[in-house]
Amino acid sequence: MQALHLNRFVSINNSPPFFSIHRTTPKPLLRCFPISSSSQLGSPNSLQSETLQALEWDSLCAQLSRFTSTSLGRGVAQRATIPIGNTPEESQKLLDQTTAAISAMDSGPLDLSQFQDITEIVDSAVSGTLLTVRELCAVRRTLIAARAVAERLAHGGDGSERSAALLEIIEDCDFQFELEQKIGFCIDCNLSVILDRASEDLEIIRSERKQNMENLDALLKAASTRVYQGGGIDKPLVTKRRSRFCVGVRASHRHLIKGGVVLDASSSGATYFMEPGDAVELNNLEVMLSNSEKEEEVAVLSLLTSEIAESEREIRYLLDCILAIDLAFARAGYSQWMNGVCPILTSEWCTAAYSGEASDSLLVDIEGIRHPLLVGTAKRDVSNILESKRENSSKSGEGNAVDKERFSESQPDYPVPINIKVRCGTRVVVISGPNTGGKTASMKTLGVASLMSKAGLYLPALNAPKLPWFDLVLADIGDHQSLEQSLSTFSGHISRICKILEVTSERSLVLIDEICSGTDPSEGVALSASILRYLGSRVNLAIVTTHYADLSRLKENDSRFENAAMEFCLKTLQPTYQILWGSTGDSNALSIARSIGFDSGIIERAQIWLDKLRPEMQQERRGLLYQALVEERGRLEAQAGEAASLHAEIMEIYNELQEEAQELDKRVVDLMAQETQQVQQDVKAVKSAFQSVLQDFDNQLRTTSTEQLNALVKKAETRIASIVEANCPAPSLSGRETDIVSYTPKVGEKVHVKSLGDKLATVVEAPGDDDAVLVQYGKIKVRVNKTDIRATRVTKKSSSSSSTRRIKRQVRPVDSESAIEKPKEVYGARVQTSRNTVDLRGMRVEEAALHLSTALSAVEPQSVIFVVHGTGTGVVKQRTHEILGKHPRVSKFEPESATNFGCTVAYVK
């Protein structure tokens, strides 16, 4: 990129090469659309929207939004449109990004506070609306913040593959560095003003306006002083009325201003504000220059607006990348808040045979999972209780530092963690059990866990949860009665199941609560069994809840079916919310009715009637349930033994890897120390060689005559050149060697010398027969080979007015008879910023004097400071002028003027 100081704007209509942007087309960013997208379903969006609503996905995204850092990320999360992988690879990439973000958070949080949503600003620029200074500065701050995020990720990562997941997001981003520099070159975003250097015309206009204002100010002050001396006013008054500068005078003394024009009067009519006749032309010029300045500022803003409009695609892509990073860190923070663990997604089906062979491998293996919404509720409840206890303790004066720990230990697990274990080959799971036993909550937990894993979120579970990647998650939960559509509860339920069956695939997850309930039990069982057999051959997994005991018998003739029951404690008549896999559960309707206070006679008669209907079935089901529990306990014990053995092997491998990593780190440190020592030795040797040359030169210079001086200098130059050549890499030949060899430098020409680090030097002596050229860099003259130099590029000089001339310094060879001219005093730019402003307003005189003296001592030499003392009573201003007049570092100062009320400009030596 070209340097800013090399490209001053000549005019807005003829902008320099600084405004040319080399655009690259970024590769498409991985866009994972919300699961409600119609492209995933091929059916009306209402079906998927109802599924998300039933699983309360929007509430979970609302929890996630609290961990976002930008308005973009917060809006996406609150609208429940966070990215969800459309393929297993995309979901795994989102999980990798979350893992990388968690790793990056170990070195500190990611600062996105300066990042703004500039989407509307870009839209305005594209539509042709002129952007304001504040909007342009917002774009610049956002671009700077985006580049800072990229630098943090590039230099703050651990260099592993996990960090690469975040770096891949910003790999092809165009951070619009040139656009950012243009805005910073034209606008001071601290003061929100357009700088003079934004264009040549603007600089000329402001310079002329400043000169005109100085003349007008001097004229008005002189007129006001005459009025004051003539008794026409209590004190000289220069003010502005109707956009024109004027002086105040009593109505009775208006004759003191000859040829004056009355612009305004005070409310009492006693004071006139008159424009002297001599000031009319200057005021007219001021109005004209003010309008021209506004037009030129509009031209600058228009040019920058068009630059943003042309960069629309790159800026939008950059915003998408920063949004993806913000969501990755939000997922990481949310996962840590829930104590989540990374799920393992399996995209391949289990290879369990349907010929009746047993398979111990699991399709779904999730241990100790809690529903994330219940986790959030529990955390808020605990925080509220602890806050209440803390307030009570502070009032009573009996605070206890371990209250939180004791409270946590005394509370039972809430929500209750559950285990979800589905064997390979199982396509349909029928969950039975009592009402309020947790069937629907358990089914919702699996549905939400599937969505979370697809969206790159960790699961609030134990160990390493494993589950398949489902292309669709379809649920029928709740009452779908609709009076508007003339649908009963059963009709709405069946209608929704029909839609699910139309769109489901072999990779889908289907969740149905209380299948075919609300109708005749016999017909309900028959229809449910037919639907479940259809789902068994069409989906990856279906979970249904029911109170139909006959559906549990489907497992007897079809290995694709599995039963599960919600545990119920008959002693306490309370559910335990645990799932008993492979078992069938009773509805326990009579036990629940008894617990809520039903008449005992009614309960007894119901029990007699039930025994008459199914006496043998009750006994058989109790035996099957006990046998299933025994088998489950044995299987769990075997799995626990295998897990312990596997953990021991993993720890052994981990210790070996850790030892190798420590050894590798030690070797890296040793190699770095050796390299550092070698470099220090080389530098010391070169310094010693140069010192030897200089020492010999000084010793021989004392005894050498004038005739031998040139020979002595040439000898020293040869030795220096040999040292430089010996310690610099040999010049590599490029494809342009022919042009370099054919180039012959001339005396006095500026050239780049490769052996001097491509520094700019002056040719003192043309090349001889040996192609050696004598060049001078600073005070050192060195002979170098002609192939070691290259010509400087010739830059075109544009004609400009006297207001934009630069000071050119001539570089002449230094010899024993030349004298160093004393440079003229050159001060920094006379532009007020927060760094060069000393604000004394509101201070007492002594406090202001001490503050001003301290600031003058600390300011850099050859700089300009603006001392803001205000108008007030004038005591602080008087003290300021006294200090500036006597201070040894102040060369001069300018009192306040008509364009700079209440401020004195000081020039520091």
Side-chain angles (χ1 to χ4, degrees):
M1 189 195 73
Q2 301 181 14
L4 289 178
H5 67 276
L6 296 180
N7 289 289
R8 293 289 300 275
F9 295 172
V10 178
S11 69
I12 293 298
N13 297 325
N14 184 20
S15 58
F18 180 75
F19 273 98
S20 61
I21 296 180
H22 302 285
R23 308 185 190 281
T24 58
T25 302
K27 70 178 183 180
L29 183 67
L30 172 62
R31 301 294 296 164
C32 303
F33 297 98
I35 198 167
S36 59
S37 173
S38 59
S39 63
Q40 294 181 337
L41 294 178
S43 67
N45 290 335
S46 59
L47 180 63
Q48 191 64 14
S49 299
E50 292 173 5
T51 297
L52 294 176
Q53 183 178 1
L55 295 177
E56 301 178 85
W57 180 247
D58 54 344
S59 299
L60 186 142
C61 291
Q63 284 186 349
L64 177 66
S65 66
R66 295 197 292 267
F67 296 88
T68 57
S69 302
T70 66
S71 57
L72 273 174
R74 192 173 304 109
V76 168
Q78 290 176 348
R79 293 190 299 271
T81 56
I82 63 174
I84 295 179
N86 294 321
T87 63
E89 292 74 18
E90 291 182 0
S91 296
Q92 187 60 50
K93 183 170 291 187
L94 291 173
L95 286 172
D96 293 341
Q97 292 172 6
T98 305
T99 303
I102 292 176
S103 177
M105 289 172 64
D106 294 339
S107 58
L110 186 66
D111 184 16
L112 292 173
S113 58
Q114 296 299 320
F115 187 83
Q116 297 179 242
D117 183 6
I118 58 174
T119 305
E120 294 183 359
I121 298 177
V122 175
D123 292 340
S124 299
V126 173
S127 65
T129 304
L130 186 67
L131 299 183
T132 64
V133 171
R134 293 186 181 275
E135 290 174 334
L136 290 170
C137 290
V139 173
R140 181 171 182 263
R141 284 192 296 269
T142 299
L143 295 177
I144 293 175
R147 195 170 71 252
V149 170
E151 293 174 353
R152 157 71 191 281
L153 295 178
H155 298 91
D158 56 6
S160 64
E161 294 182 359
R162 294 186 302 175
S163 301
L166 290 177
L167 296 177
E168 184 180 355
I169 298 177
I170 58 175
E171 181 180 5
D172 293 326
C173 284
D174 183 356
F175 293 97
Q176 294 294 307
F177 182 73
E178 292 185 2
L179 176 60
E180 171 208 324
Q181 293 296 311
K182 290 174 194 177
I183 299 175
F185 183 83
C186 298
I187 299 175
D188 185 346
C189 289
N190 293 325
L191 301 177
S192 296
V193 296
I194 300 177
L195 300 175
D196 295 349
R197 64 189 181 189
S199 77
E200 177 188 359
D201 294 340
L202 181 61
E203 188 174 11
I204 294 173
I205 290 171
R206 287 183 174 177
S207 176
E208 293 178 357
R209 187 181 179 191
K210 177 184 176 183
Q211 183 64 38
N212 181 69
M213 280 302 304
E214 291 177 354
N215 297 335
L216 181 60
D217 182 60
L219 188 150
L220 293 176
K221 282 186 176 180
S224 180
T225 301
R226 290 196 300 270
V227 171
Y228 169 70
Q229 293 175 350
I233 197 71
D234 293 337
K235 62 179 181 178
L237 175 63
V238 178
T239 184
K240 193 174 185 179
R241 291 292 188 275
R242 295 165 57 184
S243 302
R244 302 179 72 86
F245 289 94
C246 55
V247 297
V249 61
R250 292 192 180 96
S252 59
H253 290 70
R254 57 183 297 182
H255 63 276
L256 294 176
I257 303 178
K258 297 180 180 180
V261 179
V262 178
L263 298 179
D264 197 3
S266 63
S267 58
S268 63
T271 303
Y272 283 176
F273 299 99
M274 301 184 63
E275 178 184 14
D278 298 340
V280 172
E281 290 298 328
L282 294 177
N283 263 326
N284 291 339
L285 182 59
E286 166 61 19
V287 173
M288 182 189 69
L289 291 175
S290 177
N291 293 335
S292 299
E293 181 181 0
K294 292 179 181 178
E295 293 176 357
E296 196 63 24
E297 289 178 347
V298 170
V300 173
L301 296 178
S302 178
L303 183 60
L304 294 175
T305 300
S306 64
E307 288 290 332
I308 292 177
E310 293 176 5
S311 304
E312 175 197 9
R313 181 177 180 183
E314 291 79 3
I315 293 176
R316 291 188 187 278
Y317 181 80
L318 180 61
L319 293 178
D320 289 341
C321 293
I322 298 301
L323 172 60
I325 292 175
D326 183 26
L327 291 178
F329 276 87
R331 295 195 300 268
Y334 182 61
S335 300
Q336 288 184 331
W337 179 69
M338 291 191 307
N339 297 323
V341 293
C342 183
I344 300 175
L345 291 177
T346 58
S347 59
E348 299 295 335
W349 287 1
C350 291
T351 58
Y354 294 110
S355 59
E357 297 179 0
S359 176
D360 292 333
S361 59
L362 297 176
L363 176 68
V364 180
D365 185 7
I366 306 176
E367 183 178 350
I369 187 170
R370 295 177 169 91
H371 196 292
L373 295 182
L374 297 180
V375 172
T377 302
K379 285 182 175 289
R380 286 194 300 270
D381 292 344
V382 171
S383 299
N384 293 337
I385 295 175
L386 289 175
E387 184 66 26
S388 177
K389 285 179 173 288
R390 191 177 297 109
E391 291 178 358
N392 296 334
S393 299
S394 60
K395 291 180 181 180
S396 61
E398 298 178 358
N400 192 343
V402 296
D403 276 349
K404 182 175 182 179
E405 181 179 356
R406 291 180 178 177
F407 177 79
S408 300
E409 293 177 353
S410 63
Q411 298 302 308
D413 285 339
Y414 176 75
V416 177
I418 63 174
N419 301 326
I420 303 177
K421 310 280 187 177
V422 180
R423 293 184 180 183
C424 284
T426 300
R427 291 291 175 262
V428 179
V429 177
V430 179
I431 303 179
S432 57
N435 293 315
T436 71
K439 298 190 302 296
T440 305
S442 300
M443 187 169 58
K444 280 186 174 182
T445 302
L446 177 59
V448 170
S450 301
L451 292 176
M452 291 176 66
S453 60
K454 291 184 64 177
L457 288 164
Y458 282 17
L459 304 183
L462 302 177
N463 303 327
K466 182 182 74 171
L467 69 165
W469 183 87
F470 300 106
D471 61 347
L472 295 176
V473 179
L474 305 171
D476 174 52
I477 301 173
D479 188 0
H480 300 286
Q481 183 186 60
S482 174
L483 298 179
E484 182 181 359
Q485 300 178 15
S486 300
L487 292 177
S488 65
T489 300
F490 179 75
S491 298
H493 174 65
I494 290 300
S495 175
R496 181 165 176 79
I497 292 178
C498 180
K499 294 179 182 179
I500 290 176
L501 297 181
E502 290 177 355
V503 301
T504 189
S505 70
E506 294 181 347
R507 285 192 167 189
S508 301
L509 171 65
V510 176
L511 308 172
I512 302 177
D513 187 29
E514 302 292 349
I515 185 170
C516 294
S517 61
T519 187
D520 179 79
S522 300
E523 294 183 358
V525 169
L527 184 57
S528 299
S530 180
I531 292 174
L532 294 182
R533 287 192 176 95
Y534 180 87
L535 288 174
S537 59
R538 298 297 181 93
V539 301
N540 192 350
L541 181 62
I543 307 291
V544 299
T545 65
T546 184
H547 287 284
Y548 296 146
D550 293 334
L551 294 181
S552 300
R553 299 178 183 176
L554 295 174
K555 177 184 177 182
E556 299 175 1
N557 301 320
D558 195 336
S559 61
R560 296 174 301 175
F561 286 79
E562 180 61 275
N563 294 328
M566 301 306 301
E567 187 179 31
F568 189 84
C569 182
L570 297 177
K571 293 183 179 179
T572 61
L573 298 180
Q574 294 293 328
T576 63
Y577 304 107
Q578 295 296 331
I579 305 177
L580 301 177
W581 295 94
S583 303
T584 57
D586 293 328
S587 295
N588 293 298
L590 300 183
S591 300
I592 295 175
R594 183 181 292 108
S595 67
I596 62 177
F598 250 79
D599 184 84
S600 59
I602 296 176
I603 301 298
E604 291 175 359
R605 286 191 292 271
Q607 185 66 50
I608 295 172
W609 184 255
L610 180 63
D611 293 338
K612 289 181 179 180
L613 290 176
R614 301 182 299 176
E616 71 285 353
M617 189 177 298
Q618 290 289 330
Q619 187 65 29
E620 180 183 357
R621 292 180 63 187
R622 289 192 182 94
L624 292 175
L625 178 61
Y626 177 79
Q627 182 181 359
L629 290 175
V630 172
E631 293 176 355
E632 179 70 10
R633 183 179 64 180
R635 184 168 60 254
L636 291 176
E637 290 176 353
Q639 291 178 355
E642 293 177 0
S645 176
L646 182 60
H647 179 267
E649 294 178 4
I650 292 174
M651 290 303 301
E652 183 179 357
I653 296 174
Y654 170 79
N655 293 330
E656 293 178 1
L657 292 177
Q658 191 173 25
E659 292 176 0
E660 292 178 2
Q662 293 175 354
E663 181 65 23
L664 184 59
D665 291 341
K666 182 178 179 181
R667 291 176 57 190
V668 170
V669 172
D670 294 339
L671 289 175
M672 291 180 62
Q674 293 176 7
E675 290 291 336
T676 303
Q677 184 178 3
Q678 183 63 37
V679 170
Q680 291 176 350
Q681 292 176 358
D682 293 344
V683 171
K684 185 175 180 181
V686 172
K687 286 183 177 180
S688 176
F690 272 110
Q691 187 65 32
S692 176
V693 172
L694 294 177
Q695 185 67 33
D696 295 341
F697 182 83
D698 291 338
N699 294 337
Q700 295 178 16
L701 185 62
R702 298 188 184 94
T703 60
T704 303
S705 61
T706 306
E707 294 77 12
Q708 299 176 344
L709 181 59
N710 290 334
L712 179 60
V713 171
K714 189 170 184 179
K715 179 181 178 182
E717 292 172 351
T718 303
R719 294 182 61 187
I720 291 175
S722 63
I723 295 174
V724 171
E725 186 175 3
N727 289 276
C728 290
S732 58
L733 298 179
S734 63
R736 300 166 53 192
E737 182 182 8
T738 304
D739 296 336
I740 297 175
V741 174
S742 60
Y743 167 70
T744 302
K746 299 179 181 180
V747 177
E749 187 178 357
K750 299 292 181 62
V751 295
H752 290 281
V753 183
K754 295 181 181 178
S755 58
L756 295 180
D758 209 30
K759 299 293 185 180
L760 194 65
T762 305
V763 177
V764 179
E765 182 179 313
D769 297 336
D770 57 350
D771 288 338
V773 183
L774 180 63
V775 296
Q776 179 172 350
Y777 173 66
K779 296 183 179 181
I780 300 177
K781 295 180 180 179
V782 182
R783 289 189 182 274
V784 296
N785 194 282
K786 187 174 70 172
T787 59
D788 196 33
I789 64 176
R790 63 180 180 86
T792 58
R793 294 182 179 178
V794 180
T795 58
K796 296 181 179 181
K797 299 180 180 179
S798 58
S799 58
S800 59
S801 62
S802 58
S803 62
T804 59
R805 291 178 185 146
R806 299 178 180 272
I807 300 176
K808 298 182 179 179
R809 299 181 180 179
Q810 290 184 345
V811 181
R812 298 177 299 175
V814 180
D815 52 29
S816 58
E817 297 179 359
S818 64
I820 300 176
E821 297 182 0
K822 184 178 180 180
K824 298 180 180 180
E825 292 184 349
V826 179
Y827 296 93
R830 194 176 183 274
V831 178
Q832 185 176 1
T833 64
S834 58
R835 295 184 178 181
N836 61 1
T837 300
V838 181
D839 195 348
L840 306 179
R841 291 175 295 182
M843 299 183 182
R844 297 183 179 272
V845 176
E846 296 302 326
E847 182 183 1
L850 178 60
H851 187 64
L852 178 58
S853 300
T854 304
L856 289 173
S857 302
V859 74
E860 297 180 357
Q862 307 299 325
S863 59
V864 181
I865 64 172
F866 294 80
V867 184
V868 181
H869 44 67
T871 53
T873 60
V875 179
V876 176
K877 179 177 71 174
Q878 182 180 358
R879 181 58 174 161
T880 299
H881 289 175
E882 292 176 359
I883 295 176
L884 295 177
K886 297 179 182 180
H887 201 283
R889 295 197 64 193
V890 179
S891 59
K892 61 178 180 178
F893 66 91
E894 297 176 359
E896 59 181 344
S897 62
T899 59
N900 206 17
F901 288 110
C903 179
T904 298
V905 183
Y907 297 83
V908 182
K909 298 178 183 179

